[in-house]
Amino acid sequence: TQLLEQSPQFLSIQEGENLTVYCNSSSVFSSLQWYRQEPGEGPVLLVTVVTGGEVKKLKRLTFQFGDARKDSSLHITAAQPGDTGLYLCAIPDYGQNFVFGPGTRLSVLP
Amino acid sequence: DTAVSQTPKYLVTQMGNDKSIKCEQNLGHDTMYWYKQDSKKFLKIMFSYNNKELIINETVPNRFSPKSPDKAHLNLHINSLELGDSAVYFCASSQQINSPLHFGNGTRLTVT
């Protein structure tokens, strides 16, 4: 089973600030997904990246897949309180399911 | 309409009891899953079920058993509950294996 690391583990920022969170593995993966989980709810898919070097934008969120397909980053511009949540990255694991990273808990203070 | 729904949302029970959590998806997906999220928010796969093929995570105790009456349902039955079973259990579905996951809102199980 491949293992994923995410950093930072916790992040607390003020509204309007920018931030970047990271997801890393020692292995190459075919694709990677980012999810956001809000308290009391299940994770919700934000994006899937499949090509090394790929950049995808979702409003104020920018996702990048590393050239070597071992890492990914999520950058949020001008964070808002509604961005608060647990950000999880996930990769396919031998075709049977997904392995999730431990997550980054983001808190955006008004 | 809720795509993946699971019941109950909260479940408090005593050690040794047997309980079930129900899950239904109306997305027409072929694959369903059960994940366990511990107190540190770490999500770990328990089972995946695709076209009547059950893939079991070998670390899951055999007190846990998934039951699928049809493609839209994957229930989780737990026998002889233990304190360490306390967690949030998420049902999920995907169109096929390796497709994005759609999660339910979780069942918070507390064993006292």
Side-chain angles (χ1 to χ4, degrees), chain A residues 33 35 37 40-45 48 86 88 92-93 95-102 105, chain B residues 9 33 35 37 39-43 45 48 55 90 97-106:
Chain A
Q33 298 172 355
Y35 291 80
Q37 183 180 11
E41 299 182 5
V44 175
L45 178 73
T48 300
L86 177 68
L88 297 159
D93 182 34
Q96 297 300 336
N97 67 84
F98 290 90
V99 172
F100 282 81
R105 293 195 216 187
Chain B
K9 177 117 178 119
Y33 311 80
Y35 279 83
Q37 188 171 46
S39 58
K40 295 184 178 180
K41 302 298 184 184
F42 191 60
L43 263 174
I45 184 71
S48 63
I55 308 297
F90 285 97
I97 290 175
N98 285 350
S99 295
L101 297 169
H102 295 254
F103 284 88
N105 282 333

Short mmCIF file of all heavy atoms in Angstrom, two decimals, chain A residues 33 35 37 40-45 48 86 88 92-93 95-102 105, chain B residues 9 33 35 37 39-43 45 48 55 90 97-106:
data_model
loop_
_atom_site.label_atom_id
_atom_site.label_comp_id
_atom_site.label_asym_id
_atom_site.label_seq_id
_atom_site.Cartn_x
_atom_site.Cartn_y
_atom_site.Cartn_z
N GLN A 33 -6.45 12.71 -6.38
CA GLN A 33 -7.67 13.47 -6.15
C GLN A 33 -7.51 14.32 -4.89
O GLN A 33 -6.84 13.92 -3.94
CB GLN A 33 -8.86 12.52 -5.99
CG GLN A 33 -9.11 11.70 -7.23
CD GLN A 33 -10.17 10.63 -7.01
OE1 GLN A 33 -10.65 10.45 -5.90
NE2 GLN A 33 -10.52 9.93 -8.07
N TYR A 35 -9.95 16.19 -1.98
CA TYR A 35 -11.28 16.27 -1.40
C TYR A 35 -11.26 17.32 -0.28
O TYR A 35 -10.23 17.54 0.36
CB TYR A 35 -11.69 14.92 -0.78
CG TYR A 35 -11.93 13.80 -1.76
CD1 TYR A 35 -10.88 13.08 -2.32
CD2 TYR A 35 -13.23 13.44 -2.11
CE1 TYR A 35 -11.10 12.05 -3.21
CE2 TYR A 35 -13.47 12.39 -3.00
CZ TYR A 35 -12.40 11.71 -3.54
OH TYR A 35 -12.62 10.67 -4.42
N GLN A 37 -13.45 18.08 3.30
CA GLN A 37 -14.43 17.55 4.23
C GLN A 37 -14.77 18.63 5.26
O GLN A 37 -13.87 19.13 5.95
CB GLN A 37 -13.89 16.30 4.95
CG GLN A 37 -14.90 15.66 5.89
CD GLN A 37 -14.36 14.42 6.59
OE1 GLN A 37 -13.16 14.13 6.54
NE2 GLN A 37 -15.22 13.68 7.22
N GLY A 40 -18.94 17.22 10.20
CA GLY A 40 -20.22 16.53 10.18
C GLY A 40 -20.65 16.03 8.81
O GLY A 40 -21.78 15.53 8.65
N GLU A 41 -19.77 16.14 7.83
CA GLU A 41 -20.12 15.71 6.49
C GLU A 41 -19.05 14.79 5.94
O GLU A 41 -17.96 14.66 6.49
CB GLU A 41 -20.30 16.92 5.57
CG GLU A 41 -21.42 17.85 6.01
CD GLU A 41 -21.61 19.02 5.06
OE1 GLU A 41 -20.95 19.05 4.01
OE2 GLU A 41 -22.43 19.89 5.39
N GLY A 42 -19.37 14.18 4.81
CA GLY A 42 -18.39 13.34 4.15
C GLY A 42 -17.50 14.16 3.22
O GLY A 42 -17.84 15.28 2.84
N PRO A 43 -16.34 13.62 2.84
CA PRO A 43 -15.47 14.32 1.89
C PRO A 43 -16.17 14.54 0.56
O PRO A 43 -16.94 13.70 0.10
CB PRO A 43 -14.28 13.36 1.73
CG PRO A 43 -14.31 12.49 2.96
CD PRO A 43 -15.75 12.36 3.31
N VAL A 44 -15.87 15.67 -0.06
CA VAL A 44 -16.43 16.01 -1.35
C VAL A 44 -15.29 16.24 -2.33
O VAL A 44 -14.35 16.98 -2.03
CB VAL A 44 -17.32 17.27 -1.28
CG1 VAL A 44 -17.81 17.67 -2.67
CG2 VAL A 44 -18.51 17.03 -0.35
N LEU A 45 -15.37 15.61 -3.49
CA LEU A 45 -14.32 15.73 -4.48
C LEU A 45 -14.19 17.15 -4.98
O LEU A 45 -15.17 17.80 -5.34
CB LEU A 45 -14.61 14.80 -5.66
CG LEU A 45 -13.59 14.85 -6.79
CD1 LEU A 45 -12.29 14.17 -6.38
CD2 LEU A 45 -14.14 14.21 -8.06
N THR A 48 -9.59 16.04 -9.85
CA THR A 48 -8.72 14.91 -10.15
C THR A 48 -7.63 15.40 -11.10
O THR A 48 -7.95 16.06 -12.09
CB THR A 48 -9.50 13.76 -10.82
OG1 THR A 48 -10.54 13.33 -9.95
CG2 THR A 48 -8.57 12.60 -11.12
N LEU A 86 -11.24 20.09 6.24
CA LEU A 86 -10.13 19.13 6.17
C LEU A 86 -9.88 18.83 4.69
O LEU A 86 -10.79 18.38 3.99
CB LEU A 86 -10.51 17.86 6.93
CG LEU A 86 -9.51 16.71 6.91
CD1 LEU A 86 -8.26 17.08 7.70
CD2 LEU A 86 -10.15 15.45 7.48
N LEU A 88 -8.08 16.63 1.96
CA LEU A 88 -7.52 15.28 1.84
C LEU A 88 -7.07 15.02 0.41
O LEU A 88 -7.79 15.36 -0.53
CB LEU A 88 -8.58 14.25 2.20
CG LEU A 88 -9.11 14.27 3.63
CD1 LEU A 88 -10.47 13.57 3.72
CD2 LEU A 88 -8.13 13.60 4.58
N PRO A 92 -5.24 6.16 -6.22
CA PRO A 92 -5.72 4.78 -6.39
C PRO A 92 -4.69 3.80 -5.86
O PRO A 92 -3.48 4.03 -5.99
CB PRO A 92 -5.88 4.63 -7.91
CG PRO A 92 -5.48 5.89 -8.52
CD PRO A 92 -4.97 6.82 -7.49
N ASP A 93 -5.17 2.72 -5.27
CA ASP A 93 -4.30 1.73 -4.66
C ASP A 93 -4.56 0.37 -5.28
O ASP A 93 -5.53 -0.30 -4.94
CB ASP A 93 -4.55 1.68 -3.15
CG ASP A 93 -3.63 0.69 -2.46
OD1 ASP A 93 -2.48 0.53 -2.90
OD2 ASP A 93 -4.09 0.06 -1.48
N GLY A 95 -5.89 -0.55 -7.84
CA GLY A 95 -7.15 -0.71 -8.54
C GLY A 95 -8.34 -1.08 -7.70
O GLY A 95 -9.43 -1.24 -8.22
N GLN A 96 -8.16 -1.24 -6.42
CA GLN A 96 -9.28 -1.69 -5.60
C GLN A 96 -9.95 -0.58 -4.82
O GLN A 96 -11.13 -0.65 -4.51
CB GLN A 96 -8.79 -2.76 -4.60
CG GLN A 96 -8.27 -4.01 -5.25
CD GLN A 96 -9.29 -4.71 -6.11
OE1 GLN A 96 -10.49 -4.56 -5.91
NE2 GLN A 96 -8.85 -5.45 -7.10
N ASN A 97 -9.20 0.42 -4.45
CA ASN A 97 -9.80 1.47 -3.66
C ASN A 97 -8.84 2.66 -3.69
O ASN A 97 -7.92 2.69 -4.49
CB ASN A 97 -10.03 0.99 -2.23
CG ASN A 97 -8.74 0.75 -1.48
OD1 ASN A 97 -8.16 1.65 -0.93
ND2 ASN A 97 -8.25 -0.47 -1.47
N PHE A 98 -9.11 3.61 -2.83
CA PHE A 98 -8.26 4.79 -2.75
C PHE A 98 -7.58 4.84 -1.39
O PHE A 98 -8.17 4.52 -0.37
CB PHE A 98 -9.10 6.06 -2.94
CG PHE A 98 -9.59 6.21 -4.35
CD1 PHE A 98 -10.80 5.68 -4.74
CD2 PHE A 98 -8.82 6.89 -5.29
CE1 PHE A 98 -11.25 5.81 -6.04
CE2 PHE A 98 -9.26 7.04 -6.58
CZ PHE A 98 -10.48 6.50 -6.97
N VAL A 99 -6.33 5.29 -1.40
CA VAL A 99 -5.61 5.55 -0.16
C VAL A 99 -5.63 7.04 0.08
O VAL A 99 -5.33 7.82 -0.84
CB VAL A 99 -4.15 5.05 -0.27
CG1 VAL A 99 -3.35 5.50 0.94
CG2 VAL A 99 -4.13 3.54 -0.40
N PHE A 100 -5.99 7.41 1.30
CA PHE A 100 -6.07 8.83 1.64
C PHE A 100 -4.87 9.25 2.48
O PHE A 100 -4.35 8.48 3.28
CB PHE A 100 -7.36 9.10 2.44
CG PHE A 100 -8.58 9.17 1.59
CD1 PHE A 100 -9.22 8.01 1.17
CD2 PHE A 100 -9.09 10.40 1.18
CE1 PHE A 100 -10.34 8.08 0.36
CE2 PHE A 100 -10.21 10.47 0.39
CZ PHE A 100 -10.84 9.31 -0.04
N GLY A 101 -4.47 10.50 2.29
CA GLY A 101 -3.48 11.09 3.17
C GLY A 101 -4.13 11.47 4.49
O GLY A 101 -5.35 11.40 4.64
N PRO A 102 -3.30 11.88 5.48
CA PRO A 102 -3.83 12.20 6.81
C PRO A 102 -4.58 13.53 6.85
O PRO A 102 -5.26 13.82 7.82
CB PRO A 102 -2.58 12.25 7.67
CG PRO A 102 -1.48 12.54 6.72
CD PRO A 102 -1.85 11.91 5.42
N ARG A 105 -5.84 20.27 8.18
CA ARG A 105 -7.00 20.94 8.75
C ARG A 105 -6.79 22.43 8.63
O ARG A 105 -5.90 22.99 9.26
CB ARG A 105 -7.19 20.56 10.21
CG ARG A 105 -7.57 19.12 10.42
CD ARG A 105 -8.10 18.90 11.82
NE ARG A 105 -7.70 17.62 12.33
CZ ARG A 105 -8.14 17.10 13.48
NH1 ARG A 105 -8.97 17.79 14.23
NH2 ARG A 105 -7.73 15.92 13.87
N LYS B 9 -27.31 8.58 11.64
CA LYS B 9 -26.23 9.57 11.67
C LYS B 9 -25.40 9.38 12.96
O LYS B 9 -24.19 9.56 12.94
CB LYS B 9 -26.79 10.98 11.64
CG LYS B 9 -25.73 12.05 11.74
CD LYS B 9 -25.69 12.91 10.49
CE LYS B 9 -24.63 14.00 10.64
NZ LYS B 9 -23.61 13.88 9.61
N TYR B 33 -18.34 1.26 -1.08
CA TYR B 33 -17.23 1.12 -0.13
C TYR B 33 -17.70 1.46 1.29
O TYR B 33 -18.66 2.21 1.48
CB TYR B 33 -16.10 2.12 -0.46
CG TYR B 33 -15.64 2.16 -1.88
CD1 TYR B 33 -16.34 2.86 -2.85
CD2 TYR B 33 -14.45 1.51 -2.26
CE1 TYR B 33 -15.89 2.93 -4.16
CE2 TYR B 33 -13.99 1.58 -3.56
CZ TYR B 33 -14.72 2.30 -4.51
OH TYR B 33 -14.27 2.36 -5.81
N TYR B 35 -15.61 3.09 4.59
CA TYR B 35 -14.38 3.65 5.14
C TYR B 35 -14.59 3.93 6.62
O TYR B 35 -15.70 4.24 7.05
CB TYR B 35 -14.01 4.97 4.45
CG TYR B 35 -13.31 4.83 3.13
CD1 TYR B 35 -14.02 4.62 1.96
CD2 TYR B 35 -11.92 4.91 3.05
CE1 TYR B 35 -13.36 4.52 0.74
CE2 TYR B 35 -11.25 4.82 1.84
CZ TYR B 35 -11.99 4.61 0.69
OH TYR B 35 -11.34 4.50 -0.52
N GLN B 37 -13.17 6.44 9.69
CA GLN B 37 -12.37 7.62 10.00
C GLN B 37 -12.17 7.70 11.51
O GLN B 37 -13.14 7.81 12.26
CB GLN B 37 -13.03 8.89 9.49
CG GLN B 37 -12.15 10.13 9.60
CD GLN B 37 -12.75 11.34 8.88
OE1 GLN B 37 -13.92 11.63 9.02
NE2 GLN B 37 -11.92 12.04 8.11
N SER B 39 -10.29 9.10 15.19
CA SER B 39 -10.33 10.39 15.91
C SER B 39 -9.34 11.40 15.35
O SER B 39 -9.51 12.60 15.53
CB SER B 39 -10.08 10.18 17.40
OG SER B 39 -8.84 9.56 17.59
N LYS B 40 -8.32 10.92 14.65
CA LYS B 40 -7.35 11.82 14.03
C LYS B 40 -7.72 12.14 12.59
O LYS B 40 -6.92 12.71 11.85
CB LYS B 40 -5.94 11.21 14.09
CG LYS B 40 -5.42 11.05 15.52
CD LYS B 40 -4.00 10.53 15.53
CE LYS B 40 -3.49 10.44 16.96
NZ LYS B 40 -2.10 9.93 17.02
N LYS B 41 -8.91 11.78 12.20
CA LYS B 41 -9.46 12.07 10.88
C LYS B 41 -8.84 11.25 9.75
O LYS B 41 -8.98 11.60 8.59
CB LYS B 41 -9.32 13.58 10.54
CG LYS B 41 -10.00 14.49 11.55
CD LYS B 41 -11.48 14.24 11.61
CE LYS B 41 -12.16 15.23 12.55
NZ LYS B 41 -13.60 14.93 12.68
N PHE B 42 -8.12 10.18 10.10
CA PHE B 42 -7.51 9.35 9.09
C PHE B 42 -8.55 8.39 8.50
O PHE B 42 -9.17 7.61 9.22
CB PHE B 42 -6.34 8.58 9.68
CG PHE B 42 -5.50 7.89 8.66
CD1 PHE B 42 -4.85 8.60 7.66
CD2 PHE B 42 -5.36 6.51 8.67
CE1 PHE B 42 -4.08 7.98 6.71
CE2 PHE B 42 -4.59 5.87 7.72
CZ PHE B 42 -3.95 6.60 6.73
N LEU B 43 -8.73 8.47 7.18
CA LEU B 43 -9.71 7.64 6.48
C LEU B 43 -9.05 6.36 6.00
O LEU B 43 -8.05 6.41 5.27
CB LEU B 43 -10.24 8.38 5.25
CG LEU B 43 -11.55 9.14 5.35
CD1 LEU B 43 -11.79 9.91 4.07
CD2 LEU B 43 -12.71 8.22 5.65
N ILE B 45 -9.79 2.42 4.24
CA ILE B 45 -10.74 1.54 3.57
C ILE B 45 -11.00 0.29 4.41
O ILE B 45 -10.09 -0.27 5.02
CB ILE B 45 -10.23 1.13 2.18
CG1 ILE B 45 -11.25 0.28 1.42
CG2 ILE B 45 -8.89 0.38 2.29
CD1 ILE B 45 -12.46 1.04 0.96
N SER B 48 -14.54 -2.91 -0.22
CA SER B 48 -15.09 -2.42 -1.48
C SER B 48 -15.91 -3.56 -2.07
O SER B 48 -15.59 -4.74 -1.89
CB SER B 48 -13.99 -1.97 -2.44
OG SER B 48 -13.16 -3.05 -2.81
N ILE B 55 -14.05 -7.12 -1.72
CA ILE B 55 -12.63 -7.01 -1.40
C ILE B 55 -12.53 -6.54 0.04
O ILE B 55 -13.05 -5.48 0.39
CB ILE B 55 -11.90 -6.01 -2.32
CG1 ILE B 55 -12.18 -6.35 -3.78
CG2 ILE B 55 -10.41 -6.00 -2.02
CD1 ILE B 55 -11.67 -7.70 -4.21
N PHE B 90 -17.95 5.87 7.04
CA PHE B 90 -18.45 6.49 5.81
C PHE B 90 -18.70 5.44 4.75
O PHE B 90 -17.84 4.60 4.46
CB PHE B 90 -17.44 7.50 5.26
CG PHE B 90 -17.39 8.79 6.03
CD1 PHE B 90 -16.41 8.99 6.99
CD2 PHE B 90 -18.31 9.79 5.78
CE1 PHE B 90 -16.36 10.17 7.70
CE2 PHE B 90 -18.25 10.98 6.49
CZ PHE B 90 -17.28 11.17 7.45
N ILE B 97 -14.35 1.10 -10.38
CA ILE B 97 -13.15 1.15 -9.56
C ILE B 97 -12.22 2.23 -10.12
O ILE B 97 -12.03 2.34 -11.32
CB ILE B 97 -12.46 -0.22 -9.56
CG1 ILE B 97 -13.33 -1.20 -8.76
CG2 ILE B 97 -11.08 -0.13 -8.95
CD1 ILE B 97 -12.85 -2.62 -8.78
N ASN B 98 -11.67 3.05 -9.24
CA ASN B 98 -10.77 4.17 -9.55
C ASN B 98 -11.48 5.41 -10.06
O ASN B 98 -10.83 6.40 -10.39
CB ASN B 98 -9.68 3.78 -10.56
CG ASN B 98 -8.61 2.95 -9.91
OD1 ASN B 98 -8.56 2.80 -8.70
ND2 ASN B 98 -7.75 2.36 -10.73
N SER B 99 -12.79 5.40 -10.12
CA SER B 99 -13.53 6.63 -10.40
C SER B 99 -13.66 7.41 -9.09
O SER B 99 -13.55 6.84 -8.01
CB SER B 99 -14.92 6.31 -10.93
OG SER B 99 -14.85 5.67 -12.18
N PRO B 100 -13.90 8.73 -9.18
CA PRO B 100 -14.03 9.55 -7.96
C PRO B 100 -15.11 9.02 -7.03
O PRO B 100 -16.12 8.46 -7.45
CB PRO B 100 -14.40 10.92 -8.51
CG PRO B 100 -13.82 10.95 -9.87
CD PRO B 100 -13.96 9.54 -10.39
N LEU B 101 -14.86 9.21 -5.75
CA LEU B 101 -15.76 8.71 -4.71
C LEU B 101 -16.82 9.74 -4.35
O LEU B 101 -16.54 10.94 -4.27
CB LEU B 101 -14.96 8.36 -3.46
CG LEU B 101 -13.93 7.24 -3.61
CD1 LEU B 101 -13.03 7.18 -2.39
CD2 LEU B 101 -14.62 5.91 -3.82
N HIS B 102 -18.02 9.23 -4.11
CA HIS B 102 -19.10 10.05 -3.57
C HIS B 102 -19.41 9.49 -2.19
O HIS B 102 -19.79 8.32 -2.08
CB HIS B 102 -20.33 9.97 -4.46
CG HIS B 102 -20.12 10.56 -5.81
ND1 HIS B 102 -20.65 11.77 -6.18
CD2 HIS B 102 -19.41 10.12 -6.87
CE1 HIS B 102 -20.29 12.04 -7.43
NE2 HIS B 102 -19.53 11.06 -7.86
N PHE B 103 -19.25 10.32 -1.17
CA PHE B 103 -19.40 9.88 0.20
C PHE B 103 -20.77 10.23 0.77
O PHE B 103 -21.37 11.26 0.42
CB PHE B 103 -18.35 10.54 1.10
CG PHE B 103 -16.97 9.96 0.97
CD1 PHE B 103 -16.09 10.44 0.01
CD2 PHE B 103 -16.56 8.94 1.81
CE1 PHE B 103 -14.81 9.91 -0.11
CE2 PHE B 103 -15.28 8.41 1.70
CZ PHE B 103 -14.41 8.89 0.74
N GLY B 104 -21.22 9.39 1.70
CA GLY B 104 -22.33 9.76 2.55
C GLY B 104 -21.83 10.70 3.63
O GLY B 104 -20.64 11.04 3.68
N ASN B 105 -22.72 11.11 4.52
CA ASN B 105 -22.34 12.06 5.56
C ASN B 105 -21.86 11.41 6.85
O ASN B 105 -21.62 12.09 7.83
CB ASN B 105 -23.50 13.02 5.86
CG ASN B 105 -23.61 14.11 4.80
OD1 ASN B 105 -22.63 14.47 4.17
ND2 ASN B 105 -24.81 14.61 4.61
N GLY B 106 -21.72 10.11 6.82
CA GLY B 106 -21.09 9.44 7.94
C GLY B 106 -22.05 9.02 9.03
O GLY B 106 -23.13 9.59 9.20
#
